[in-house]
């Protein structure tokens, strides 16, 4: 097998993957403040891309009722994301990241497909995801559009308070506050 032909498996994450997932998130996204509870919550699904026992990337998704989704994501409710308001059960792609040297190898797309399959098993009506928009563009636009997601809204300074409260450094803005916008996407299942 040549270097380009990596054997990558998408698997359900477990405790042994958590430290690698945390390192990837910290490096790629600048935060890990909610990772300590992800494997204990039965409304959360975590998948990772693994090659030779090394975690190359991950995706985290969470199931919500309509009311609990909009209670958690108040800014999205205010953005008038009507496609989401109609759904009784919403799956949220909470976080996704792939190590830099493994990006652009379809790993992110494979992770998203695994999560969407899991959401289908739970009868999710609509899947939502957010992506940051900076001077460099929209972080997840290509994967979102390839998987059929539609752009619903853009929310300016979405992570400003969160970055200040949790002290995370945005990969584009650097130290708090994050000035990136949030682009909200939805996929009708």
């Amino acid at each position: 097998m040549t270097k380009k032909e990596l054997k990558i498996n998408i698997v359900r994450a477990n405790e042994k993957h958590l430290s690698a997932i945390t390192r990837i998130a910290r490096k790629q996204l600048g935060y890990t403040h909610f990772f300590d509870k992800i494997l204990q919550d039965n409304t959360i699904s975590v998948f990772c891309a693994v090659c030779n026992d090394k975690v190359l990337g991950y995706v985290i998704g969470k199931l919500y009722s309509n009311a609990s989704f909009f209670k958690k994501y108040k800014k999205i409710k205010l953005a008038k994301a009507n496609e989401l308001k109609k759904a009784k059960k919403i799956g949220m792609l909470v976080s996704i990241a792939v190590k830099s040297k493994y990006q652009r190898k379809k790993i992110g797309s494979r992770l998203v497909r695994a999560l969407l399959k899991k959401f289908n098993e739970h009868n999710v009506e609509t899947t939502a995801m957010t992506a940051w928009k900076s001077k460099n563009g929209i972080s997840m636009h290509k994967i979102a559009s390839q998987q059929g997601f539609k752009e619903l809204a853009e929310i300016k300074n979405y992570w400003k308070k969160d970055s200040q409260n949790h002290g995370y450094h945005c990969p584009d803005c650097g130290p708090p506050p994050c000035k990136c916008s949030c682009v909200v996407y939805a996929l009708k299942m």
Side-chain angles (χ1 to χ4, degrees):
M1 191 181 300
T2 67
K3 243 185 176 179
K4 290 184 182 183
E5 297 174 28
L6 296 174
K7 175 76 170 124
I8 299 168
N9 295 308
I10 306 300
V11 300
R12 288 290 305 252
N14 60 45
E15 288 292 334
K16 76 177 187 177
H17 301 119
L18 197 53
S19 63
I21 289 170
T22 302
R23 282 191 303 276
I24 293 167
R26 189 174 294 116
K27 181 161 177 83
Q28 298 298 320
L29 306 174
Y31 68 85
T32 60
H33 61 272
F34 66 89
F35 280 35
D36 56 335
K37 300 175 184 102
I38 62 172
L39 297 178
Q40 289 77 38
D41 186 333
N42 66 0
T43 65
I44 295 177
S45 295
V46 184
F47 293 93
C48 53
V50 178
C51 180
N52 298 325
D53 291 326
K54 286 178 27 180
V55 176
L56 309 180
Y58 73 88
V59 66
I60 301 171
K62 182 167 174 61
L63 300 170
Y64 289 95
S65 68
N66 185 288
S68 64
F69 178 85
F70 286 113
K71 183 177 180 183
K72 167 81 175 160
Y73 297 101
K74 293 177 181 115
K75 292 178 187 175
I76 293 176
K77 184 176 185 176
L78 295 173
K80 300 189 177 16
N82 292 328
E83 184 72 31
L84 293 170
K85 290 179 182 175
K86 299 172 191 170
K88 290 181 180 148
K89 200 168 199 181
I90 299 170
M92 178 65 170
L93 190 159
V94 176
S95 183
I96 184 170
V98 176
K99 287 182 176 180
S100 296
K101 72 180 189 178
Y102 297 102
Q103 291 177 1
R104 294 177 188 23
K105 298 183 186 308
K106 308 250 182 249
I107 295 170
S109 294
R110 290 180 61 196
L111 288 163
V112 170
R113 283 195 300 275
L115 183 63
L116 292 176
K117 182 178 177 188
K118 188 67 172 173
F119 284 166
N120 261 330
E121 292 170 11
H122 287 281
N123 301 311
V124 164
E125 294 172 43
T126 302
T127 297
M129 67 180 277
T130 59
W132 82 74
K133 181 179 180 181
S134 69
K135 61 187 178 295
N136 299 322
I138 302 172
S139 62
M140 289 286 297
H141 182 74
K142 185 175 179 183
I143 288 176
S145 59
Q146 286 174 342
Q147 300 300 321
F149 284 83
K150 304 291 181 237
E151 190 175 322
L152 297 183
E154 181 178 338
I155 306 167
K156 304 280 186 201
N157 295 311
Y158 185 83
W159 288 279
K160 183 177 182 178
K161 266 190 184 173
D162 205 34
S163 69
Q164 292 170 319
N165 291 343
H166 297 286
Y168 65 76
H169 292 224
C170 170
D172 288 339
C173 301
C178 175
K179 297 176 182 108
C180 294
S181 294
C182 169
V183 179
V184 181
Y185 292 91
L187 173 67
K188 188 108 169 106
M189 305 289 279

